[in-house]
Coordinates of all heavy atoms in Angstrom, one line a residue:
M219 N 0.8 -1.2 0.0 CA 0.0 0.0 0.0 C 0.9 1.3 0.0 O 0.6 2.2 -0.7 CB -0.9 -0.1 1.2 CG -1.8 1.1 1.4 SD -3.1 1.0 0.2 CE -4.1 2.4 0.7
M220 N 1.9 1.3 0.8 CA 2.8 2.5 0.9 C 3.6 2.7 -0.4 O 3.8 3.8 -0.8 CB 3.7 2.3 2.1 CG 3.0 2.5 3.5 SD 2.2 4.1 3.6 CE 3.6 5.2 3.8
R221 N 4.0 1.5 -1.0 CA 4.7 1.7 -2.2 C 3.8 2.3 -3.3 O 4.3 3.1 -4.1 CB 5.2 0.3 -2.7 CG 6.4 -0.2 -1.9 CD 6.9 -1.5 -2.5 NE 8.0 -1.9 -1.7 CZ 8.6 -3.1 -1.8 NH1 8.1 -3.9 -2.7 NH2 9.6 -3.4 -1.1
R222 N 2.6 1.8 -3.4 CA 1.7 2.3 -4.4 C 1.4 3.8 -4.2 O 1.4 4.6 -5.1 CB 0.4 1.6 -4.3 CG -0.6 1.9 -5.4 CD -1.8 1.0 -5.3 NE -2.5 1.0 -6.6 CZ -3.5 0.4 -6.9 NH1 -4.0 -0.5 -6.0 NH2 -4.1 0.5 -8.0
L223 N 1.3 4.2 -2.9 CA 1.1 5.6 -2.6 C 2.3 6.5 -3.0 O 2.2 7.5 -3.6 CB 0.8 5.8 -1.1 CG 0.6 7.3 -0.6 CD1 -0.6 7.9 -1.3 CD2 0.4 7.3 0.9
A224 N 3.5 5.9 -2.7 CA 4.7 6.6 -3.0 C 4.9 6.8 -4.5 O 5.3 7.8 -5.0 CB 5.9 5.9 -2.4
A225 N 4.5 5.7 -5.3 CA 4.6 5.8 -6.7 C 3.6 6.8 -7.3 O 4.0 7.5 -8.2 CB 4.3 4.4 -7.3
T226 N 2.5 6.9 -6.7 CA 1.5 7.8 -7.2 C 1.9 9.3 -6.9 O 1.8 10.1 -7.8 CB 0.1 7.6 -6.5 OG1 -0.3 6.3 -6.7 CG2 -0.9 8.6 -6.9
V227 N 2.5 9.5 -5.7 CA 3.0 10.8 -5.4 C 4.2 11.2 -6.4 O 4.2 12.4 -6.9 CB 3.5 10.9 -3.9 CG1 4.3 12.2 -3.6 CG2 2.3 10.7 -3.0
V228 N 5.1 10.3 -6.6 CA 6.2 10.6 -7.6 C 5.7 10.9 -8.9 O 6.1 11.8 -9.6 CB 7.2 9.4 -7.6 CG1 8.2 9.6 -8.7 CG2 7.9 9.3 -6.3
L229 N 4.7 10.1 -9.4 CA 4.1 10.3 -10.8 C 3.5 11.7 -10.8 O 3.6 12.5 -11.8 CB 3.1 9.2 -11.1 CG 2.5 9.3 -12.5 CD1 3.5 9.3 -13.6 CD2 1.5 8.2 -12.7
A230 N 2.7 12.1 -9.8 CA 2.0 13.4 -9.8 C 3.1 14.5 -9.8 O 2.9 15.5 -10.4 CB 1.1 13.5 -8.6
A231 N 4.1 14.3 -9.0 CA 5.2 15.3 -9.0 C 5.8 15.6 -10.3 O 6.3 16.7 -10.6 CB 6.2 15.0 -7.9
L232 N 5.9 14.5 -11.1 CA 6.5 14.6 -12.4 C 5.5 15.2 -13.4 O 5.9 16.0 -14.3 CB 7.0 13.2 -12.9 CG 8.1 12.6 -12.2 CD1 8.4 11.2 -12.6 CD2 9.4 13.4 -12.3
L233 N 4.3 14.9 -13.3 CA 3.3 15.4 -14.3 C 2.8 16.8 -14.1 O 2.6 17.5 -15.1 CB 2.1 14.4 -14.3 CG 2.3 13.0 -14.9 CD1 1.1 12.2 -14.9 CD2 2.8 13.1 -16.3
V234 N 2.7 17.2 -12.9 CA 2.1 18.6 -12.6 C 2.9 19.7 -13.3 O 2.4 20.5 -14.0 CB 1.9 18.8 -11.1 CG1 1.6 20.3 -10.8 CG2 0.8 17.9 -10.6
P235 N 4.3 19.7 -13.2 CA 5.0 20.8 -13.8 C 4.9 20.7 -15.4 O 5.1 21.8 -16.0 CB 6.4 20.6 -13.4 CG 6.3 19.7 -12.2 CD 5.1 18.9 -12.3
S236 N 4.7 19.6 -15.9 CA 4.6 19.5 -17.4 C 3.2 19.6 -17.9 O 3.0 19.5 -19.1 CB 5.2 18.1 -17.9 OG 4.4 17.1 -17.3
A237 N 2.2 19.9 -17.1 CA 0.8 20.0 -17.5 C 0.6 21.0 -18.6 O -0.1 20.8 -19.6 CB -0.1 20.3 -16.4
P238 N 1.3 22.2 -18.6 CA 1.1 23.2 -19.7 C 1.6 22.6 -21.0 O 1.0 22.9 -22.1 CB 1.9 24.4 -19.3 CG 2.0 24.3 -17.8 CD 2.0 22.8 -17.5
L239 N 2.6 21.8 -21.0 CA 3.1 21.2 -22.2 C 2.1 20.2 -22.8 O 2.0 20.0 -24.0 CB 4.5 20.5 -22.0 CG 5.6 21.5 -21.5 CD1 6.8 20.7 -21.2 CD2 5.9 22.5 -22.5
L240 N 1.4 19.5 -21.9 CA 0.5 18.4 -22.3 C -0.8 19.0 -22.9 O -1.4 18.4 -23.7 CB 0.1 17.5 -21.1 CG 1.3 16.7 -20.5 CD1 0.8 16.0 -19.3 CD2 1.9 15.8 -21.5
V241 N -1.1 20.2 -22.5 CA -2.3 20.9 -23.0 C -2.2 21.3 -24.4 O -3.0 21.1 -25.2 CB -2.6 22.2 -22.1 CG1 -3.8 22.9 -22.7 CG2 -3.0 21.7 -20.7
G242 N -1.0 21.8 -24.8 CA -0.7 22.1 -26.2 C -1.7 23.1 -26.8 O -2.1 24.0 -26.1
A243 N -2.0 22.9 -28.1 CA -2.9 23.9 -28.8 C -4.3 23.9 -28.2 O -4.9 25.0 -28.3 CB -2.9 23.5 -30.3
Q244 N -4.8 22.8 -27.6 CA -6.1 22.8 -27.2 C -6.3 23.8 -26.0 O -7.4 24.4 -25.9 CB -6.5 21.4 -26.6 CG -6.7 20.4 -27.8 CD -5.5 20.0 -28.6 OE1 -4.4 20.0 -28.0 NE2 -5.6 19.8 -29.8
G245 N -5.4 24.1 -25.2 CA -5.5 25.0 -24.1 C -5.3 26.5 -24.6 O -5.5 27.4 -23.8
S246 N -4.9 26.7 -25.8 CA -4.6 28.0 -26.3 C -5.8 28.6 -27.1 O -5.6 29.7 -27.6 CB -3.4 28.0 -27.2 OG -3.6 27.2 -28.3
G247 N -6.9 27.9 -27.3 CA -8.0 28.4 -28.1 C -7.8 28.1 -29.5 O -8.6 28.6 -30.3
C248 N -6.9 27.3 -29.9 CA -6.7 26.9 -31.3 C -7.3 25.5 -31.6 O -7.3 24.6 -30.8 CB -5.2 26.8 -31.6 SG -4.3 28.4 -31.5
A249 N -7.9 25.4 -32.7 CA -8.5 24.2 -33.2 C -7.7 23.7 -34.4 O -8.1 23.9 -35.5 CB -9.9 24.4 -33.5
L250 N -6.5 23.1 -34.1 CA -5.7 22.6 -35.2 C -6.2 21.3 -35.8 O -6.7 20.5 -35.0 CB -4.2 22.4 -34.7 CG -3.5 23.7 -34.2 CD1 -2.2 23.4 -33.6 CD2 -3.4 24.7 -35.3
S251 N -6.0 21.1 -37.1 CA -6.5 19.9 -37.7 C -5.6 18.7 -37.3 O -4.3 18.9 -37.3 CB -6.4 20.1 -39.2 OG -6.6 18.8 -39.9
S252 N -6.2 17.6 -37.1 CA -5.4 16.4 -36.7 C -4.8 15.8 -38.0 O -4.0 14.8 -37.9 CB -6.3 15.4 -36.0 OG -7.3 15.0 -36.8
A253 N -5.1 16.3 -39.2 CA -4.5 15.8 -40.4 C -3.1 16.2 -40.6 O -2.4 15.6 -41.5 CB -5.4 16.3 -41.6
Y254 N -2.6 17.1 -39.8 CA -1.2 17.6 -40.0 C -0.3 17.3 -38.8 O -0.8 17.0 -37.7 CB -1.2 19.1 -40.2 CG -2.0 19.6 -41.4 CD1 -3.1 20.4 -41.2 CD2 -1.6 19.3 -42.6 CE1 -3.8 20.9 -42.3 CE2 -2.3 19.8 -43.7 CZ -3.4 20.6 -43.6 OH -4.1 21.1 -44.6
R255 N 1.0 17.3 -39.1 CA 2.0 17.2 -38.0 C 2.1 18.6 -37.4 O 1.9 19.6 -38.0 CB 3.3 16.7 -38.5 CG 3.2 15.4 -39.1 CD 4.6 14.9 -39.7 NE 5.6 14.8 -38.7 CZ 5.9 13.6 -38.1 NH1 5.2 12.6 -38.4 NH2 6.8 13.6 -37.2
Q256 N 2.6 18.7 -36.1 CA 2.8 20.0 -35.5 C 4.3 20.2 -35.1 O 4.9 19.2 -34.8 CB 2.0 20.1 -34.2 CG 0.5 20.6 -34.5 CD -0.4 19.5 -34.9 OE1 -0.3 18.4 -34.3 NE2 -1.3 19.7 -35.8
F257 N 4.7 21.4 -35.2 CA 6.1 21.8 -34.9 C 6.0 23.0 -34.0 O 5.4 24.0 -34.4 CB 6.9 22.1 -36.1 CG 8.4 22.4 -35.8 CD1 9.2 21.3 -35.6 CD2 8.9 23.6 -35.9 CE1 10.6 21.6 -35.3 CE2 10.2 23.9 -35.6 CZ 11.0 22.9 -35.3
T258 N 6.5 23.0 -32.8 CA 6.4 24.1 -31.9 C 7.8 24.8 -31.7 O 8.8 24.1 -31.6 CB 5.9 23.5 -30.5 OG1 4.7 22.8 -30.7 CG2 5.8 24.7 -29.5
G259 N 7.7 26.1 -31.6 CA 8.9 26.8 -31.4 C 8.7 28.3 -31.4 O 7.5 28.8 -31.3
Q260 N 9.8 29.1 -31.5 CA 9.7 30.5 -31.5 C 10.0 31.0 -32.9 O 11.0 30.5 -33.6 CB 10.7 31.1 -30.5 CG 10.6 32.5 -30.2 CD 11.5 32.9 -29.1 OE1 12.5 32.3 -28.8 NE2 11.1 34.0 -28.4
V261 N 9.3 32.0 -33.4 CA 9.5 32.6 -34.7 C 10.9 33.3 -34.6 O 11.1 34.2 -33.8 CB 8.4 33.6 -35.1 CG1 8.7 34.3 -36.4 CG2 7.0 32.9 -35.1
S262 N 11.8 32.9 -35.5 CA 13.1 33.6 -35.6 C 13.1 34.5 -36.9 O 14.0 35.4 -36.9 CB 14.2 32.6 -35.6 OG 14.1 31.8 -36.7
E263 N 12.2 34.3 -37.8 CA 12.2 35.1 -39.0 C 10.8 34.9 -39.7 O 10.3 33.8 -39.7 CB 13.3 34.6 -40.0 CG 13.3 35.3 -41.3 CD 14.3 34.7 -42.3 OE1 15.4 34.1 -41.8 OE2 14.1 34.7 -43.5
V264 N 10.2 36.0 -40.1 CA 8.9 36.0 -40.8 C 9.0 36.9 -41.9 O 9.4 38.1 -41.8 CB 7.7 36.2 -39.8 CG1 7.8 37.6 -39.3 CG2 6.4 36.0 -40.5
G265 N 8.6 36.5 -43.1 CA 8.5 37.3 -44.3 C 7.2 37.2 -45.0 O 6.3 36.5 -44.5
A266 N 7.1 37.7 -46.2 CA 5.8 37.7 -46.9 C 5.5 36.3 -47.4 O 4.3 35.9 -47.5 CB 5.9 38.6 -48.2
T267 N 6.5 35.4 -47.6 CA 6.2 34.1 -48.1 C 6.7 32.9 -47.3 O 6.5 31.7 -47.7 CB 6.8 33.9 -49.6 OG1 8.2 34.1 -49.5 CG2 6.1 34.9 -50.5
R268 N 7.4 33.2 -46.2 CA 7.9 32.1 -45.4 C 8.1 32.5 -43.9 O 8.2 33.7 -43.6 CB 9.2 31.5 -46.0 CG 10.5 32.3 -45.6 CD 11.7 31.6 -46.2 NE 12.9 32.2 -45.5 CZ 13.9 31.5 -45.1 NH1 13.9 30.2 -45.4 NH2 14.9 32.0 -44.5
I269 N 8.2 31.5 -43.1 CA 8.4 31.7 -41.7 C 9.5 30.7 -41.2 O 9.5 29.5 -41.7 CB 7.1 31.5 -40.9 CG1 7.3 32.0 -39.4 CG2 6.6 30.1 -41.0 CD1 5.9 32.1 -38.7
V270 N 10.4 31.1 -40.3 CA 11.4 30.2 -39.8 C 11.1 30.1 -38.3 O 10.9 31.1 -37.6 CB 12.8 30.8 -40.0 CG1 13.9 29.8 -39.4 CG2 13.0 30.9 -41.5
I271 N 11.1 28.8 -37.8 CA 10.8 28.5 -36.4 C 12.0 27.9 -35.7 O 12.5 26.9 -36.3 CB 9.6 27.6 -36.3 CG1 8.4 28.1 -37.1 CG2 9.2 27.3 -34.8 CD1 7.9 29.4 -36.6
Q272 N 12.4 28.4 -34.6 CA 13.5 27.8 -33.8 C 12.9 27.1 -32.6 O 12.2 27.6 -31.8 CB 14.4 29.0 -33.2 CG 15.5 28.5 -32.3 CD 16.5 27.7 -33.1 OE1 17.1 28.1 -34.1 NE2 16.8 26.5 -32.6
P273 N 13.1 25.7 -32.6 CA 12.5 24.9 -31.5 C 13.4 25.2 -30.2 O 14.4 25.9 -30.3 CB 12.7 23.5 -32.0 CG 13.9 23.5 -32.9 CD 13.8 24.9 -33.5
G274 N 12.9 24.6 -29.1 CA 13.7 24.8 -27.9 C 15.1 24.3 -28.0 O 16.0 24.8 -27.4
G275 N 15.3 23.3 -28.8 CA 16.7 22.7 -29.0 C 16.7 22.2 -30.4 O 15.7 21.7 -30.9
G276 N 17.8 22.2 -31.1 CA 17.9 21.7 -32.4 C 17.9 22.8 -33.5 O 17.9 24.0 -33.2
A277 N 17.8 22.3 -34.7 CA 17.9 23.3 -35.9 C 16.6 23.9 -36.2 O 15.5 23.3 -36.0 CB 18.4 22.5 -37.1
P278 N 16.6 25.2 -36.6 CA 15.4 25.8 -37.0 C 14.8 25.2 -38.3 O 15.6 24.6 -39.1 CB 15.8 27.3 -37.3 CG 17.3 27.2 -37.5 CD 17.8 26.0 -36.8
L279 N 13.5 25.3 -38.5 CA 12.8 24.8 -39.7 C 12.2 26.0 -40.4 O 11.5 26.8 -39.7 CB 11.8 23.8 -39.4 CG 12.3 22.4 -38.9 CD1 11.1 21.5 -38.7 CD2 13.2 21.8 -40.0
A280 N 12.3 26.0 -41.7 CA 11.6 27.0 -42.5 C 10.4 26.4 -43.1 O 10.4 25.3 -43.5 CB 12.5 27.6 -43.6
F281 N 9.3 27.2 -43.2 CA 8.0 26.8 -43.8 C 7.6 27.8 -44.8 O 7.6 29.0 -44.5 CB 6.9 26.7 -42.7 CG 7.2 25.6 -41.6 CD1 7.9 26.0 -40.5 CD2 6.8 24.3 -41.8 CE1 8.2 25.0 -39.5 CE2 7.0 23.4 -40.8 CZ 7.7 23.7 -39.7
A282 N 7.2 27.4 -46.0 CA 6.6 28.3 -46.9 C 5.2 28.6 -46.5 O 4.5 27.8 -45.8 CB 6.5 27.6 -48.3
K283 N 4.7 29.8 -46.9 CA 3.3 30.2 -46.5 C 2.3 29.6 -47.5 O 2.4 29.7 -48.7 CB 3.2 31.7 -46.6 CG 1.8 32.2 -46.3 CD 1.8 33.8 -46.5 CE 0.4 34.3 -46.3 NZ 0.3 35.7 -46.7
S284 N 1.4 28.8 -46.9 CA 0.3 28.2 -47.8 C -0.6 29.4 -48.2 O -0.9 30.3 -47.4 CB -0.5 27.2 -47.0 OG -1.7 26.9 -47.6
P285 N -1.2 29.4 -49.4 CA -2.1 30.4 -49.8 C -3.3 30.5 -48.9 O -3.9 31.6 -48.7 CB -2.5 30.0 -51.2 CG -1.5 29.1 -51.7 CD -0.9 28.4 -50.5
S286 N -3.7 29.4 -48.2 CA -4.9 29.4 -47.4 C -4.5 29.2 -45.9 O -5.3 28.7 -45.1 CB -5.8 28.3 -47.8 OG -5.1 27.0 -47.7
V287 N -3.3 29.6 -45.5 CA -2.8 29.5 -44.1 C -3.8 30.1 -43.1 O -4.3 31.2 -43.4 CB -1.4 30.0 -43.9 CG1 -1.3 31.5 -44.1 CG2 -0.8 29.6 -42.6
A288 N -4.1 29.4 -42.1 CA -5.0 29.9 -41.0 C -4.1 30.2 -39.8 O -3.4 29.4 -39.3 CB -6.0 28.9 -40.6
V289 N -4.1 31.5 -39.4 CA -3.4 31.9 -38.2 C -4.4 32.2 -37.1 O -5.4 32.9 -37.3 CB -2.6 33.2 -38.5 CG1 -1.8 33.6 -37.2 CG2 -1.6 33.0 -39.6
M290 N -4.2 31.5 -35.9 CA -5.2 31.6 -34.9 C -4.5 31.7 -33.5 O -3.3 31.6 -33.4 CB -6.1 30.4 -34.9 CG -5.4 29.1 -34.8 SD -6.3 27.6 -35.2 CE -6.0 27.5 -36.9
G291 N -5.3 31.8 -32.5 CA -4.8 31.9 -31.1 C -4.6 33.3 -30.7 O -5.5 34.1 -30.8
A292 N -3.5 33.7 -30.1 CA -3.2 35.0 -29.6 C -3.2 36.1 -30.6 O -3.3 37.3 -30.3 CB -2.0 35.0 -28.7
K293 N -2.9 35.7 -31.9 CA -2.9 36.6 -33.0 C -3.7 36.0 -34.2 O -3.7 34.8 -34.3 CB -1.5 37.0 -33.4 CG -0.7 37.7 -32.4 CD 0.7 38.0 -32.9 CE 1.5 38.8 -31.8 NZ 2.8 39.2 -32.3
A294 N -4.2 36.9 -35.0 CA -4.9 36.4 -36.2 C -4.4 37.1 -37.4 O -4.4 38.3 -37.4 CB -6.4 36.6 -36.1
G295 N -3.9 36.3 -38.4 CA -3.4 36.9 -39.6 C -1.9 36.8 -39.7 O -1.2 37.1 -38.7
W296 N -1.4 36.5 -40.9 CA 0.0 36.3 -41.1 C 0.8 37.6 -40.9 O 1.9 37.6 -40.3 CB 0.2 35.9 -42.6 CG 1.6 35.6 -43.0 CD1 2.6 36.5 -43.4 CD2 2.3 34.4 -42.9 NE1 3.8 35.9 -43.7 CE2 3.6 34.6 -43.4 CE3 1.9 33.1 -42.6 CZ2 4.6 33.6 -43.5 CZ3 2.9 32.1 -42.7 CH2 4.2 32.3 -43.1
G297 N 0.2 38.7 -41.2 CA 0.8 40.1 -41.0 C 1.1 40.5 -39.6 O 1.8 41.4 -39.3
R298 N 0.4 39.8 -38.7 CA 0.6 40.1 -37.2 C 1.7 39.3 -36.6 O 2.1 39.5 -35.4 CB -0.7 39.9 -36.5 CG -1.7 40.9 -36.9 CD -3.0 40.7 -36.2 NE -4.0 41.7 -36.6 CZ -4.6 42.6 -35.8 NH1 -4.3 42.5 -34.5 NH2 -5.4 43.4 -36.3
L299 N 2.2 38.3 -37.3 CA 3.3 37.4 -36.7 C 4.6 38.3 -36.6 O 4.9 39.1 -37.5 CB 3.6 36.2 -37.6 CG 2.4 35.2 -37.7 CD1 2.7 34.2 -38.8 CD2 2.2 34.5 -36.4
R300 N 5.3 38.1 -35.5 CA 6.5 38.8 -35.2 C 7.6 37.8 -34.7 O 7.3 36.8 -34.1 CB 6.3 39.9 -34.1 CG 5.3 40.9 -34.5 CD 5.8 41.9 -35.6 NE 4.9 42.9 -35.9 CZ 4.1 42.9 -37.0 NH1 4.2 41.9 -37.9 NH2 3.3 43.9 -37.3
E301 N 8.8 38.2 -34.9 CA 9.9 37.5 -34.3 C 9.7 37.4 -32.8 O 9.3 38.4 -32.2 CB 11.3 38.1 -34.6 CG 11.7 38.0 -36.1 CD 13.0 38.7 -36.4 OE1 13.8 38.9 -35.4 OE2 13.3 38.9 -37.5
G302 N 10.0 36.2 -32.2 CA 9.8 36.0 -30.8 C 8.5 35.4 -30.4 O 8.3 34.9 -29.3
D303 N 7.5 35.4 -31.3 CA 6.2 34.8 -31.0 C 6.4 33.3 -30.9 O 7.2 32.7 -31.6 CB 5.2 35.0 -32.2 CG 4.6 36.4 -32.2 OD1 4.7 37.1 -31.2 OD2 4.1 36.7 -33.3
R304 N 5.7 32.7 -29.9 CA 5.7 31.2 -29.7 C 4.6 30.7 -30.5 O 3.4 31.1 -30.3 CB 5.6 30.9 -28.2 CG 6.8 31.3 -27.4 CD 7.6 30.3 -26.6 NE 7.0 29.0 -26.5 CZ 7.6 27.9 -27.0 NH1 8.7 28.0 -27.7 NH2 7.1 26.7 -26.8
V305 N 4.8 29.7 -31.3 CA 3.8 29.2 -32.2 C 3.9 27.7 -32.3 O 4.9 27.0 -32.0 CB 4.0 29.8 -33.7 CG1 3.8 31.3 -33.7 CG2 5.3 29.4 -34.3
I306 N 2.7 27.1 -32.8 CA 2.6 25.7 -33.2 C 2.3 25.8 -34.7 O 1.3 26.4 -35.1 CB 1.6 25.0 -32.5 CG1 1.9 25.0 -31.0 CG2 1.5 23.5 -33.0 CD1 0.7 24.4 -30.1
V307 N 3.1 25.2 -35.5 CA 2.9 25.2 -37.0 C 2.4 23.8 -37.4 O 3.0 22.8 -37.1 CB 4.2 25.5 -37.8 CG1 4.0 25.5 -39.3 CG2 4.7 26.9 -37.4
S308 N 1.3 23.8 -38.1 CA 0.8 22.5 -38.7 C 1.2 22.4 -40.1 O 1.1 23.3 -40.9 CB -0.8 22.5 -38.6 OG -1.2 22.4 -37.3
W309 N 1.8 21.2 -40.4 CA 2.4 21.0 -41.8 C 2.2 19.6 -42.2 O 1.9 18.7 -41.3 CB 3.8 21.5 -41.8 CG 4.7 20.7 -40.8 CD1 4.7 20.8 -39.5 CD2 5.7 19.7 -41.2 NE1 5.7 19.9 -38.9 CE2 6.3 19.3 -40.0 CE3 6.1 19.2 -42.4 CZ2 7.2 18.3 -39.9 CZ3 7.1 18.2 -42.3 CH2 7.7 17.8 -41.1
D310 N 2.4 19.3 -43.5 CA 2.2 18.0 -44.0 C 3.6 17.5 -44.5 O 4.3 18.2 -45.2 CB 1.2 18.1 -45.2 CG 0.8 16.7 -45.7 OD1 1.5 15.7 -45.4 OD2 -0.3 16.6 -46.4
M311 N 3.9 16.3 -44.1 CA 5.2 15.7 -44.5 C 5.4 15.5 -46.0 O 6.5 15.5 -46.5 CB 5.3 14.3 -43.8 CG 5.5 14.3 -42.3 SD 7.2 14.5 -41.8 CE 7.9 12.9 -42.3
A312 N 4.3 15.4 -46.7 CA 4.3 15.2 -48.1 C 4.6 16.5 -48.9 O 5.0 16.5 -50.1 CB 3.0 14.7 -48.7
D313 N 4.5 17.7 -48.2 CA 4.8 19.0 -48.9 C 6.3 19.1 -49.2 O 7.1 18.9 -48.4 CB 4.3 20.1 -48.0 CG 2.8 20.2 -47.9 OD1 2.1 19.7 -48.7 OD2 2.4 20.9 -46.9
A314 N 6.5 19.6 -50.4 CA 7.9 20.0 -50.8 C 7.7 21.3 -51.6 O 7.1 21.2 -52.7 CB 8.5 18.9 -51.7
P315 N 8.1 22.4 -51.1 CA 8.8 22.6 -49.9 C 7.8 22.5 -48.7 O 6.6 22.5 -48.8 CB 9.3 24.1 -50.0 CG 8.3 24.7 -50.8 CD 7.8 23.7 -51.8
R316 N 8.4 22.4 -47.5 CA 7.7 22.3 -46.2 C 6.7 23.5 -46.1 O 7.2 24.7 -46.3 CB 8.6 22.3 -45.0 CG 8.1 21.9 -43.7 CD 9.1 21.9 -42.6 NE 10.1 20.9 -42.9 CZ 11.4 21.1 -43.1 NH1 11.9 22.4 -43.1 NH2 12.3 20.2 -43.3
T317 N 5.4 23.3 -45.9 CA 4.5 24.4 -46.0 C 3.6 24.5 -44.7 O 3.2 23.5 -44.2 CB 3.5 24.2 -47.2 OG1 4.3 24.1 -48.4 CG2 2.5 25.3 -47.3
A318 N 3.5 25.7 -44.2 CA 2.6 26.0 -43.0 C 1.2 26.1 -43.5 O 0.9 27.0 -44.3 CB 3.1 27.3 -42.3
H319 N 0.3 25.2 -43.0 CA -1.1 25.2 -43.3 C -1.9 25.9 -42.2 O -2.9 26.5 -42.5 CB -1.6 23.8 -43.5 CG -1.0 23.1 -44.7 ND1 -1.4 23.4 -46.0 CD2 0.0 22.3 -44.8 CE1 -0.7 22.7 -46.8 NE2 0.2 22.0 -46.1
E320 N -1.5 25.7 -40.9 CA -2.1 26.4 -39.8 C -1.0 26.8 -38.8 O 0.0 26.2 -38.7 CB -3.0 25.4 -39.1 CG -4.1 24.8 -39.9 CD -4.8 23.6 -39.2 OE1 -4.2 22.9 -38.4 OE2 -6.0 23.5 -39.5
I321 N -1.2 28.0 -38.2 CA -0.3 28.5 -37.2 C -1.1 28.9 -36.0 O -2.0 29.7 -36.1 CB 0.5 29.7 -37.7 CG1 1.4 29.2 -38.9 CG2 1.4 30.2 -36.6 CD1 2.1 30.3 -39.6
C322 N -0.8 28.3 -34.8 CA -1.4 28.7 -33.6 C -0.4 29.5 -32.8 O 0.7 29.1 -32.5 CB -1.7 27.4 -32.8 SG -2.3 27.8 -31.1
V323 N -0.7 30.8 -32.6 CA 0.1 31.7 -31.8 C -0.2 31.5 -30.3 O -1.4 31.8 -29.9 CB 0.0 33.2 -32.3 CG1 0.9 34.1 -31.5 CG2 0.2 33.3 -33.8
L324 N 0.8 31.1 -29.6 CA 0.5 30.9 -28.1 C 0.6 32.2 -27.4 O 1.4 33.1 -27.8 CB 1.6 29.9 -27.6 CG 1.6 28.5 -28.3 CD1 2.8 27.7 -27.9 CD2 0.3 27.8 -28.1
A325 N -0.1 32.3 -26.3 CA -0.1 33.5 -25.5 C 1.3 33.7 -24.9 O 1.9 32.7 -24.5 CB -1.2 33.4 -24.4
S326 N 1.7 34.9 -24.7 CA 3.0 35.2 -24.1 C 2.9 34.9 -22.6 O 1.8 35.2 -22.0 CB 3.4 36.7 -24.3 OG 3.5 36.9 -25.7
P327 N 3.9 34.4 -22.0 CA 3.8 34.2 -20.5 C 3.7 35.5 -19.8 O 4.2 36.6 -20.3 CB 5.2 33.5 -20.2 CG 6.1 33.7 -21.4 CD 5.2 34.0 -22.6
A328 N 3.1 35.5 -18.7 CA 2.9 36.7 -17.9 C 4.3 37.1 -17.4 O 5.1 36.3 -17.0 CB 2.0 36.4 -16.7
P329 N 4.5 38.4 -17.3 CA 5.8 38.9 -16.8 C 6.0 38.6 -15.4 O 5.1 38.6 -14.6 CB 5.8 40.4 -17.1 CG 4.3 40.8 -17.3 CD 3.6 39.5 -17.7
A330 N 7.3 38.2 -15.0 CA 7.6 37.9 -13.6 C 7.5 39.2 -12.8 O 7.9 40.3 -13.2 CB 9.0 37.3 -13.5
S331 N 7.0 39.0 -11.6 CA 6.8 40.2 -10.7 C 7.8 40.2 -9.6 O 8.5 39.3 -9.3 CB 5.4 40.3 -10.1 OG 5.0 39.0 -9.6

């Protein structure tokens, strides 16, 4: 009984800090299509026809702008995207070049007080 309780406490201690990561786009007000893969990171470059996303670790990925790209979440519209925005990009592995079909802009964290 005590071992089970201890295991439950350890599991809860591991999961609670990662809860915001588990929520993903659903907690941000975005309704991303399950037909695409998602890539999360910070916008490092945005132009008229492409966006570059820097993940938490690893190499940045560039995405071409789909003619029908949907931008949702904390910002709406490609023209409102800025360097430093945290986003989830929905894309299809079959696309060449890699193309952004949906972008969920995540809310900025509250400033530390």
Side-chain angles (χ1 to χ4, degrees):
M219 179 75 172
M220 289 302 286
R221 282 186 184 170
R222 188 173 196 179
L223 178 62
T226 303
V227 169
V228 169
L229 181 61
L232 293 173
L233 290 179
V234 169
S236 62
L239 300 174
L240 298 174
V241 172
Q244 286 67 35
S246 63
C248 295
L250 297 176
S251 170
S252 61
Y254 298 116
R255 298 178 65 93
Q256 277 82 40
F257 186 77
T258 304
Q260 189 171 27
V261 176
S262 61
E263 178 185 329
V264 62
T267 60
R268 79 178 200 141
I269 189 168
V270 179
I271 308 299
Q272 176 67 52
L279 288 182
F281 297 89
K283 177 185 175 186
S284 167
S286 60
V287 66
V289 180
M290 60 193 89
K293 295 183 179 180
W296 184 273
R298 294 180 179 236
L299 295 170
R300 299 288 180 259
E301 289 181 16
D303 285 344
R304 295 235 351 112
V305 298
I306 302 171
V307 177
S308 292
W309 61 288
D310 191 339
M311 290 273 293
D313 289 340
R316 192 178 297 116
T317 303
H319 295 281
E320 301 169 329
I321 299 176
C322 174
V323 182
L324 303 172
S326 299
S331 48

